[in-house]
Amino acid sequence: MDVLAKNKILVLGRPEVNKTELVHSIMSHASTATPSAATFAESAKIEWHMETRYYRAELEFWVDSTERLPDAHIQSMQQWLDDPDKYPDDDTSA
């Protein structure tokens, strides 16, 4: 296994979603120290030494943002969320 690809956690989402809060929450439940919120950025690589009674690892959170969807797509998804039964399944393989 490629050592560079090991122990990486990708946190990916829209700019308005607080991805670093998720990382901070995960890290705060561990028995090791958590970096301060000041070390977080919208796009960042956050190193974390995790150690429990049974496991020890060097991990990296890779935090990044995706592009915002066009408003028309957001409205279409919201309409589906409001009334999913109005739209038939697209699965024609059944």
Side-chain angles (χ1 to χ4, degrees):
M1 175 182 264
D2 183 7
V3 176
L4 295 176
K6 213 171 169 186
N7 299 334
K8 309 279 192 284
I9 302 166
L10 177 62
V11 181
L12 190 63
R14 302 281 183 237
E16 62 272 6
V17 177
N18 196 345
K19 297 167 291 296
T20 55
E21 185 176 316
L22 172 66
V23 173
H24 186 8
S25 176
I26 291 168
M27 295 172 80
S28 69
H29 285 87
S31 60
T32 56
T34 302
S36 69
T39 63
F40 295 121
E42 187 62 30
S43 294
K45 180 174 84 172
I46 303 164
E47 295 180 358
W48 180 36
H49 174 78
M50 185 186 78
E51 188 170 340
T52 68
R53 176 188 277 174
Y54 307 103
Y55 185 75
R56 181 180 307 146
E58 298 295 328
L59 302 168
E60 289 180 353
F61 286 94
W62 291 7
V63 182
D64 207 351
S65 294
T66 59
E67 292 182 10
R68 179 166 163 65
L69 288 175
D71 288 338
H73 290 177
I74 295 171
Q75 290 170 355
S76 176
M77 286 190 295
Q78 188 59 53
Q79 289 172 352
W80 181 85
L81 288 170
D82 291 343
D83 190 8
D85 294 330
K86 183 178 175 181
Y87 302 92
D89 288 339
D90 290 335
D91 185 12
T92 57
S93 62

